[in-house]
Amino acid sequence: MGLLTFKKGVHPPDMKLLSKDKKIERLTPPKILYFPVAQHIGAPAKTIVKKGDPVKVGQLIAEAVGFVSANIFSSVSGTVKGIEDRLNFLGTKTSMIVIENDEKYEKTEFTLLTDLQSANIVNKVKEGGIVGLGGATFPTHVKLSPPKDKPIDTVIINGAECEPYLTSDYRLMLEQPQKVVEGLKILMKALGATKGYIGIESNKPDVLKKMHELCEKESEIETVALKTKYPQGGEKQLIYAILKRKVPAGGLPMAVGVVVQNSGTAAAIYDLLKEGKPLYERIITITGNGVNEPKNFLVPLGTPINYLIEKAGGLKENAAKIIMGGPMMGFAITDLTIPAQKGTSGIVVFTDKEVYGEDYDVCIRCNKCIDVCPMDLAPYQYALLGENERYLEAKDWNVLDCIECGSCVYICPSKRPMVQFIKLEKAAITAEMKKEKKK
Ligand code: SF4
Ligand code: SF4
């Protein structure tokens, strides 16, 4: 089979060489850790510990509120030092539980799930605080609970890792591929799906080979090679590439009988169900030409970014910009005390030569953004409307279908900040829709 792919997209340099050969290192936790109660899509969790409380590794410290929410666990043992409103990666303040590490690493008792029935799996995944680790942070138990009229026949594991620079999924799939395969089997069981795919970009031939060997005898699971192209890991792009099914505008993958999960999420489900470990640590890539020793770390969640950078040899003198996540969809951060959280897949540090200023030019109507938009939108229009603060009109241009992949910004010769305006437009439209609903 040739390389599978979707229509349009871009080809940024993958820059994975910097960290791809760095084995996953378990990071010794710092003395003080910060746990935001909002580190997933949905309602923030409710803090259930107070200042002075002792905690253990894997202890529940904030409880999910409602269905679309997720539990939060301590990654160290120690004492709760307080609950503080602190800056998060979005530049807004979030309530965070501050824990002082006693360096004893006493663990809570974990209960293993022996009866792998669908309902039990979904409940356990909810209990374990599992969310999409590719960056979306959507609570996984919600994806595992489709309505009865939307049966799921296929689960796709996103092993594309199409964001340049990032290698955390690559290292996971290379070093612990069985966790991903076993996690996929659990997901298929939970959903009653009969077919599973692991989609991997062609720039990871060693992972493709390993996964292929591992799945050879699994008749229901197939490893597929995807073209190296951005955003190959987008849910809708992945479904089209592998199954040639088109998710309708405004619809979810379940509309075409599919659930997509990131490879890290599949491994986290394995860790939870087979090793009894809730989600309190994850693999994070620290990389970029602005950092001295790029690394792939297994990070206790709550660890501040400056500690991660220090453990990666520190910043180079010409370091100029730090991105949380990948360069295409990540967020520039300035406060390095922000903690690593469930959705943090990487930290990328750019040098002064690699960053360009905030200035941008007028639209020259070159159509390049239209040519690359994987959702068949007209990105130039979002910047034009945004500049004139006509945010609500973007709805008529289907802005809600935008997956914020940044391909349009990448290709634009005028460096117009489409995604920045798209976020503003989506926020304004959502607020308006809520107002209408109330009426
Ligand atoms: S790529 Fe940039 S300059 Fe070209 S049409 Fe789109 S917004 Fe305008
Ligand atoms: S408009 Fe949205 S989906 Fe299209 S290229 Fe730009 S960011 Fe990606």
Side-chain angles (χ1 to χ4, degrees):
M1 200 193 289
L3 296 179
L4 303 175
T5 194
F6 61 100
K7 291 177 185 148
K8 301 189 175 182
V10 289
H11 297 270
D14 84 2
M15 303 301 285
K16 293 183 191 279
L17 218 59
L18 289 167
S19 58
K20 75 178 267 292
D21 295 326
K22 304 292 173 73
K23 283 188 183 157
I24 301 165
E25 289 176 37
R26 178 176 281 281
L27 194 79
T28 307
K31 194 69 191 156
I32 302 286
L33 296 94
Y34 305 92
F35 299 85
V37 296
Q39 43 180 305
H40 47 262
I41 287 184
K46 184 173 160 244
T47 302
I48 57 163
V49 288
K50 56 181 189 320
K51 189 174 175 180
D53 280 357
V55 290
K56 290 184 177 175
V57 177
Q59 184 177 326
L60 182 68
I61 52 173
E63 205 168 50
V65 175
F67 188 55
V68 187
S69 184
N71 286 337
I72 314 277
F73 302 85
S74 178
S75 55
V76 291
S77 59
T79 310
V80 177
K81 298 305 285 178
I83 317 294
E84 296 175 9
D85 279 344
R86 299 178 62 90
L87 211 58
N88 64 21
F89 68 97
L90 294 169
T92 54
K93 287 204 165 175
T94 311
S95 175
M96 297 193 198
I97 301 162
V98 186
I99 294 179
E100 185 174 16
N101 178 7
D102 64 7
E103 291 167 28
K104 291 181 185 156
Y105 306 110
E106 286 173 316
K107 291 188 174 171
T108 40
E109 285 292 317
F110 298 128
T111 47
L112 288 179
L113 186 62
T114 44
D115 183 11
L116 282 186
Q117 294 301 312
S118 172
N120 293 349
I121 297 172
V122 178
N123 286 338
K124 196 75 184 172
V125 165
K126 181 167 192 254
E127 211 182 284
I130 309 288
V131 302
L133 297 189
T137 66
F138 194 74
T140 303
H141 64 272
V142 181
K143 272 192 174 183
L144 296 185
S145 313
K148 285 215 160 52
D149 62 339
K150 297 268 187 302
I152 302 298
D153 57 45
T154 307
V155 177
I156 297 178
I157 295 299
N158 175 11
E161 198 166 51
C162 61
E163 269 273 6
Y165 288 89
L166 305 186
T167 53
S168 51
D169 287 350
Y170 168 73
R171 289 309 312 181
L172 167 73
M173 293 186 290
L174 196 65
E175 294 181 42
Q176 300 159 11
Q178 72 289 351
K179 281 191 179 183
V180 179
V181 175
E182 292 303 317
L184 169 58
K185 285 187 196 166
I186 296 169
L187 285 162
M188 288 168 67
K189 182 133 195 160
L191 289 156
T194 51
K195 189 78 197 172
Y197 291 93
I198 304 173
I200 298 162
E201 279 193 344
S202 56
N203 61 353
K204 305 171 190 63
D206 42 0
V207 170
L208 268 163
K209 187 167 172 278
K210 201 160 241 187
M211 282 292 185
H212 203 77
E213 285 166 4
L214 209 58
C215 298
E216 225 166 19
K217 291 196 179 84
E218 309 279 354
S219 58
E220 294 172 346
I221 298 178
E222 218 175 300
T223 305
V224 288
L226 305 163
K227 196 169 179 177
T228 302
K229 186 168 75 166
Y230 183 84
Q232 185 65 78
E235 285 194 336
K236 294 178 182 180
Q237 287 65 40
L238 210 46
I239 293 169
Y240 181 80
I242 296 174
L243 301 171
K244 297 291 171 280
R245 295 184 196 169
K246 274 191 184 172
V247 179
L252 295 169
M254 69 170 77
V256 293
V258 183
V259 161
V260 179
Q261 291 288 354
N262 170 265
S263 51
T265 315
I269 288 174
Y270 172 89
D271 283 342
L272 174 73
L273 271 74
K274 299 287 183 175
E275 292 179 8
K277 203 178 88 185
L279 183 55
Y280 60 74
E281 59 187 15
R282 68 157 297 154
I283 305 165
I284 299 179
T285 304
I286 318 296
T287 186
N289 287 318
V291 74
N292 280 313
E293 292 169 47
K295 296 273 188 188
N296 292 295
F297 285 131
L298 180 60
V299 177
L301 298 181
T303 301
I305 300 306
N306 49 13
Y307 184 84
L308 293 178
I309 291 175
E310 183 195 311
K311 296 291 172 188
L315 294 175
K316 286 187 185 163
E317 258 178 35
N318 58 352
K321 190 174 186 181
I322 301 174
I323 304 284
M324 197 162 180
M328 300 296 280
M329 292 186 78
F331 295 83
I333 55 169
T334 47
D335 183 341
L336 298 186
T337 65
I338 289 169
Q341 52 186 60
K342 292 180 183 180
T344 311
S345 46
I347 302 293
V348 184
V349 185
F350 291 119
T351 63
D352 49 7
K353 287 197 186 76
E354 294 169 316
V355 295
Y356 52 86
E358 302 288 300
D359 293 346
Y360 59 93
D361 289 323
V362 292
C363 175
I364 54 168
R365 305 287 167 120
C366 65
N367 272 7
K368 283 188 177 171
C369 55
I370 298 177
D371 293 343
V372 301
C373 176
M375 297 304 292
D376 285 327
L377 302 170
Y380 71 95
Q381 193 66 31
Y382 305 133
L384 290 177
L385 290 171
E387 277 171 323
N388 294 296
E389 293 181 26
R390 289 159 57 193
Y391 302 142
L392 296 180
E393 288 173 54
K395 191 169 180 225
D396 300 334
W397 291 83
N398 303 321
V399 73
L400 296 180
D401 285 336
C402 166
I403 57 168
E404 298 177 24
C405 68
S407 299
C408 49
V409 180
Y410 173 78
I411 208 76
C412 176
S414 297
K415 292 284 158 249
R416 291 175 65 73
M418 264 71 80
V419 175
Q420 211 169 297
F421 287 120
I422 286 165
K423 285 183 197 291
L424 289 172
E425 287 156 0
K426 281 186 177 178
I429 294 164
T430 313
E432 189 65 18
M433 279 162 51
K434 273 191 190 151
K435 235 197 285 171
E436 287 298 313
K437 211 172 164 189
K438 260 191 187 167
K439 267 191 211 164

